[in-house]
Amino acid sequence: MTELEEFHHHLIADVQRDADSDGLITVESFFEMAGELLTEAGELESSNRSYFEGTVSGHTAQIDGYGGDPRDGEGILSLVLCDFQITDDLRRIYKENLSVLVNRMYRFLVASTKKAFREGLEESSAGFGLADLISSRWKIINKIKLIIITNADSRARADASKVKSIDGKPIFLSVWDIKRLKQFQEQGQVRANPTIDFEEDFNGPIPVLAVSGNKTSFESYLAVIPGPQLVAIYDKWGPRLLEANVRSFLQARSKVNKGIRNTIKEEPLMFFSYNNGLSATVNSLEVRQSDKGLQLVKVDNFQIVNGGQTTASLHAAMKEHGKELEQVNVQIKLTVIPPKDSEKFVPLICEYANSQNRVNAADFFANHPFHINTERLSRRILAPAGLNGYKETKWFYERSRGQYADERGRRTTSNRRKFDEEFPRRQFLTKTDLAKYENTWECKPHIVSLGAQKNFTEFARNLEKRWGKGTAFHDRWFKHMIAKAIIFRATERIVSNSSWYEGGYRANIVTYSIAKLVSDTRKKSKLIDLDKIWLQQDISLILKSVLETAGEEAQRVISNPPDGVRNFSEWAKKPLCWERLKISTIIYPEEFETALITSEDDGVLARYAYKEKKLDESANHQIRVYELGAAYWEKAWDWAKAERLLTPKELGIIKFCASIPFKTPSDKQCSVAIAALEKLKQEGFAENQ
């Protein structure tokens, strides 16, 4: 069995397992899984399930979802169709198969612009909501993306290929087959990422200067690209050109930056002098020496790590100032980062390259200390067997894409079974999962409804304010976070199986119903008892009942938007939707009190957990000081004294540690010594020891 065939079997098993667990049909589960990957990859702004299948003029029309409101995404309409089949053998699809699927999407798109088609749909249906959104946004839509997600092996070259336009609006096809899903899910890499052939597709190569410093550094180049050429590249690839963290944090991409607009309009020839240009990374490139000097012919996996707003603003200015844009040139600092080094170095380049719209540690790359700390907690803390288990297990936190698959895949068959017992797949969660749970608990269901990436952006901004400022991200915090995950996943099943559930908008209903419950209990100075849920690894019958009641009320509010609003998914993204649910009245049964804890009691437990954490840290510091030994501390003292990096107190304590075992440093002294050592390491001591 090939690796791709094995992945195919695992994918189907995972989709079926998730579908059974969440009360979904398999194609819904596949859409949720793939939709999250595509938003992370920049293919979609957000992932919104909106299923329709019917006939238009005697032919099948079909759609599974869309990528958010075009008004919020540079006028781009993204439509999604899922081709998921449960088969023993890996299917192959060819150009003619894709043509059938494209035609189904195309028919729905065209029909949505027709009043008669929309009037024939049930107004409460997801299909009507999407058709109405397309119709109401038609004037501002300037580009359409048809995205096919399939668990088959595509044998057609279709990524970013053109489809027949409508009303002058260009349409592009993007196919995510099982190969691309595998590459991204396991490695965080999308091999069909932007390969820019300047010569073949974009009016010729561009001038470039090699500026690599030495053999130990990455290849680096400086290039100059004409404005229209850069706009044409962005027009084809869009946000997929933007490195994921920049893409997530870039604000107001659809608006032209005022300074950039004025420069294009009034002084286009000075754009090169006034603008800082772009910083970008590539996996590889092709250059050629010509009579005009060195030229850049092709780049693979072109990712803009700084200058995303410049690029998007140039693209947005094309309509009004196309003639002036022809006089604009943009500089590019280009670094070649091989795929094996991407995870480590691209975030660092992105961090240090951004100074205007700063993207730094606050932007929560996978190697941010918060994620590393959460990962360590997940590998160490044993979850109780609970009410339905028979042995302790662990919850696997994946801080970077593909960790879980890699950890599991590199083991032998017997060890893989042990891994599955220790880390059951149902106890696997990602950064975006964590952000979804935490923001729901912060009573921000409208933010969660924006989609995985935008919600993660908001979560990261707020959490960075707390990181390193005394907030305790210790064992109890992790256990509570897992308890929130248990509640969230249980609510997904509750909603799916409820008699009142009308189908569609489940993701919105789930986050809204939990937020409602949290908000109402806080009004009474009480909290849901997360410690109890952690111990039981499940929620009580009364909590299930209350969540179902809250879910029904959430569905009522979401499905009754104000006049003029007919797309429930877009309504759920509005703060007003949350305000309406928050002020609504739900009568809770008295038994619900058994699932709660007072804020005062929770505070006592939190303070106890914090003290326990401090004791553990103190003990660990003492152990670490003795493990390093006197000779190590003597060397650290010599280095610190020569570099003049520490205070006299810190130097004295390190010198004291250098006298082990004849002298015994106290627990406080050990803590100071470890903190001082971290300072030295940041200044280079680790490399000089």
Side-chain angles (χ1 to χ4, degrees):
M1 183 182 293
T2 66
E3 286 188 7
L4 189 61
E5 289 171 330
E6 185 177 1
F7 178 80
H8 166 255
H9 284 289
H10 282 303
L11 176 68
I12 289 177
D14 290 344
V15 168
Q16 288 179 309
R17 188 183 300 111
D18 290 348
D20 292 341
S21 174
D22 298 338
L24 302 174
I25 61 174
T26 52
V27 71
E28 285 182 285
S29 179
F30 180 65
F31 179 89
E32 288 194 0
M33 181 274 288
E36 184 173 330
L37 293 180
L38 266 62
T39 54
E40 185 176 335
E43 186 75 272
L44 295 171
E45 278 286 315
S46 60
S47 175
N48 303 271
R49 173 83 172 161
S50 190
Y51 179 73
F52 171 85
E53 184 173 4
T55 57
V56 174
S57 300
H59 298 283
T60 302
Q62 184 181 345
I63 213 77
D64 278 282
Y66 66 104
D69 191 335
R71 185 174 57 187
D72 301 326
E74 299 180 322
I76 299 174
L77 171 67
S78 299
L79 300 177
V80 179
L81 186 145
C82 287
D83 169 51
F84 179 79
Q85 295 182 29
I86 298 174
T87 58
D88 291 331
D89 298 324
L90 178 60
R91 289 184 299 132
R92 291 182 178 179
I93 57 173
Y94 299 89
K95 187 176 182 180
E96 55 270 25
N97 306 117
L98 292 175
S99 295
V100 171
L101 300 177
V102 169
N103 287 336
R104 291 183 178 185
M105 302 176 76
Y106 195 86
R107 290 186 195 108
F108 177 83
L109 173 63
V110 174
S112 296
T113 65
K114 310 297 183 183
K115 185 177 181 181
F117 173 74
R118 298 193 303 275
E119 289 181 343
L121 301 175
E122 171 60 47
E123 284 200 15
S124 63
S125 70
F128 173 82
L130 177 53
D132 185 70
L133 179 70
I134 293 172
S135 174
S136 62
R137 300 289 187 263
W138 192 250
K139 289 184 179 179
I140 69 162
I141 292 172
N142 54 51
K143 179 180 176 180
I144 300 165
K145 292 165 62 177
L146 304 181
I147 301 169
I148 295 174
I149 312 173
T150 176
N151 68 325
D153 180 7
S154 174
R155 294 308 174 105
R157 188 175 183 274
D159 195 50
S161 60
K162 280 196 172 184
V163 181
K164 181 183 176 182
S165 62
I166 303 176
D167 286 351
K169 303 178 190 296
I171 303 177
F172 294 90
L173 171 65
S174 181
V175 178
W176 281 70
D177 71 342
I178 195 163
K179 292 191 297 291
R180 284 181 76 182
L181 292 173
K182 177 179 184 293
Q183 288 161 349
F184 190 77
Q185 184 162 303
E186 292 186 349
Q187 305 166 16
Q189 300 287 335
V190 188
R191 292 316 321 153
N193 256 355
T195 295
I196 314 298
D197 192 327
F198 297 98
E199 185 171 51
E200 193 72 25
D201 302 325
F202 298 104
N203 297 323
I206 60 176
V208 66
L209 175 68
V211 293
S212 299
N214 54 60
K215 293 181 180 180
T216 61
S217 64
F218 293 119
E219 288 183 71
S220 299
Y221 298 84
L222 288 176
V224 178
I225 186 170
Q229 198 171 10
L230 179 60
V231 166
I233 293 170
Y234 188 77
D235 190 56
K236 177 173 182 177
W237 294 104
R240 282 171 62 184
L241 292 178
L242 305 179
E243 200 279 327
N245 298 283
V246 176
R247 179 168 58 246
S248 296
F249 283 80
L250 190 60
Q251 297 301 299
R253 290 202 304 265
S254 59
K255 298 179 181 179
V256 183
N257 177 282
K258 187 176 180 181
I260 293 175
R261 180 192 61 198
N262 291 341
T263 302
I264 295 171
K265 180 180 178 182
E266 300 167 8
E267 300 178 277
L269 293 174
M270 295 300 294
F271 189 91
F272 185 88
S273 299
Y274 292 165
N275 187 270
N276 288 339
L278 316 180
S279 291
T281 64
V282 298
N283 288 158
S284 62
L285 54 73
E286 180 183 331
V287 294
R288 180 178 63 209
Q289 190 69 45
S290 71
D291 55 358
K292 296 180 180 179
L294 196 62
Q295 294 183 319
L296 185 62
V297 178
K298 183 189 292 186
V299 295
D300 179 54
N301 196 12
F302 183 75
Q303 293 285 289
I304 297 170
V305 296
N306 179 254
Q309 189 177 65
T310 293
T311 307
S313 295
L314 287 171
H315 180 263
M318 184 68 180
K319 289 183 180 178
E320 295 182 17
H321 307 294
K323 187 175 181 180
E324 291 83 357
L325 191 65
E326 292 178 3
Q327 303 176 65
V328 167
N329 287 294
V330 184
Q331 60 182 318
I332 305 177
K333 183 179 75 172
L334 202 61
T335 307
V336 181
I337 307 291
K340 63 182 179 65
D341 297 316
S342 292
E343 182 179 343
K344 179 179 180 181
F345 289 101
V346 171
L348 295 175
I349 293 173
C350 187
E351 176 181 342
Y352 300 139
N354 283 271
S355 56
Q356 294 172 321
N357 299 307
R358 183 158 180 77
V359 181
N360 52 25
D363 302 341
F364 271 47
F365 297 106
N367 58 354
H368 186 281
F370 168 80
H371 293 305
I372 294 172
N373 178 64
T374 305
E375 178 189 42
R376 287 172 179 165
L377 291 172
S378 80
R379 305 303 191 268
R380 177 173 60 81
I381 295 176
L382 284 168
L387 298 175
N388 302 312
Y390 66 94
K391 63 182 296 186
E392 294 177 319
T393 55
K394 292 178 182 176
W395 285 74
F396 190 102
Y397 178 69
E398 186 179 72
R399 67 179 175 89
S400 61
R401 175 64 65 187
Q403 270 188 311
Y404 185 84
D406 181 61
E407 287 284 336
R408 186 179 185 278
R410 62 186 177 83
R411 286 168 164 76
T412 62
T413 302
S414 60
N415 286 334
R416 196 174 296 171
R417 284 196 293 268
K418 293 178 182 177
F419 178 85
D420 291 342
E421 290 177 0
E422 183 178 16
F423 296 103
R425 192 182 183 282
R426 66 180 182 277
Q427 294 177 193
F428 156 77
L429 68 157
T430 66
K431 298 193 301 294
T432 52
D433 289 331
L434 186 154
K436 182 168 58 178
Y437 307 146
E438 292 293 319
N439 271 354
T440 294
W441 227 256
E442 289 297 315
C443 296
K444 298 177 180 178
H446 54 296
I447 300 297
V448 176
S449 295
L450 291 173
Q453 294 303 309
K454 289 183 179 179
N455 176 64
F456 181 76
T457 299
E458 180 69 17
F459 165 75
R461 285 200 194 98
N462 292 330
L463 197 53
E464 178 65 19
K465 297 173 185 177
R466 299 159 55 198
W467 179 257
K469 296 182 180 178
T471 303
F473 295 101
H474 47 49
D475 290 22
R476 189 169 187 253
W477 168 83
F478 178 81
K479 293 173 182 178
H480 279 195
M481 187 269 291
I482 296 302
K484 294 170 188 176
I486 292 169
I487 293 173
F488 202 97
R489 295 176 180 185
T491 308
E492 289 177 328
R493 295 190 294 273
I494 291 167
V495 170
S496 295
N497 296 322
S498 294
S499 59
W500 47 259
Y501 180 52
E502 299 173 354
Y505 317 109
R506 188 188 71 151
N508 308 117
I509 294 170
V510 169
T511 182
Y512 267 82
S513 57
I514 297 172
K516 172 64 175 171
L517 214 58
V518 171
S519 176
D520 285 353
T521 54
R522 284 176 180 170
K523 289 175 185 176
K524 300 189 296 182
S525 297
K526 294 189 176 181
L527 304 168
I528 295 174
D529 191 344
L530 297 176
D531 291 307
K532 181 184 293 185
I533 293 170
W534 164 259
L535 290 172
Q536 296 179 346
Q537 291 291 293
D538 198 359
I539 65 174
S540 63
L541 291 175
I542 185 60
L543 186 52
K544 290 178 182 177
S545 174
V546 170
L547 283 166
E548 184 171 7
T549 301
E552 185 173 10
E553 180 65 8
Q555 177 174 264
R556 184 191 67 78
V557 171
I558 292 169
S559 59
N560 287 278
D563 293 341
V565 179
R566 295 197 277 191
N567 186 292
F568 300 162
S569 287
E570 299 307 314
W571 163 235
K573 298 173 184 177
K574 308 299 181 185
L576 180 59
C577 184
W578 166 236
E579 290 300 321
R580 288 197 176 181
L581 180 62
K582 188 164 65 171
I583 64 174
S584 69
T585 300
I586 295 178
I587 306 300
Y588 298 104
E590 291 184 8
E591 303 95 296
F592 183 40
E593 294 292 325
T594 62
L596 305 179
I597 185 174
T598 66
S599 299
E600 184 179 355
D601 287 345
D602 184 73
V604 171
L605 293 173
R607 287 191 291 274
Y608 175 79
Y610 184 75
K611 289 180 180 178
E612 191 177 56
K613 173 178 178 283
K614 287 297 182 183
L615 287 172
D616 287 344
E617 286 180 349
S618 178
N620 289 335
H621 289 163
Q622 285 184 302
I623 292 170
R624 183 63 175 155
V625 165
Y626 278 85
E627 282 180 343
L628 290 172
Y632 181 94
W633 290 109
E634 184 69 37
K635 185 172 287 189
W637 182 80
D638 288 337
W639 197 86
K641 186 177 180 183
E643 298 293 329
R644 299 182 179 180
L645 295 172
L646 301 180
T647 66
K649 177 184 176 181
E650 290 169 330
L651 275 172
I653 289 175
I654 287 183
K655 186 65 173 176
F656 193 86
C657 292
S659 300
I660 294 172
F662 303 105
K663 293 183 179 179
T664 305
S666 67
D667 55 349
K668 290 184 178 180
Q669 287 176 318
C670 288
S671 295
V672 172
I674 294 298
L677 181 60
E678 289 303 313
K679 288 184 185 179
L680 299 184
K681 287 183 176 180
Q682 290 175 10
E683 296 297 330
F685 175 66
E687 288 76 21
N688 291 275
Q689 58 181 321

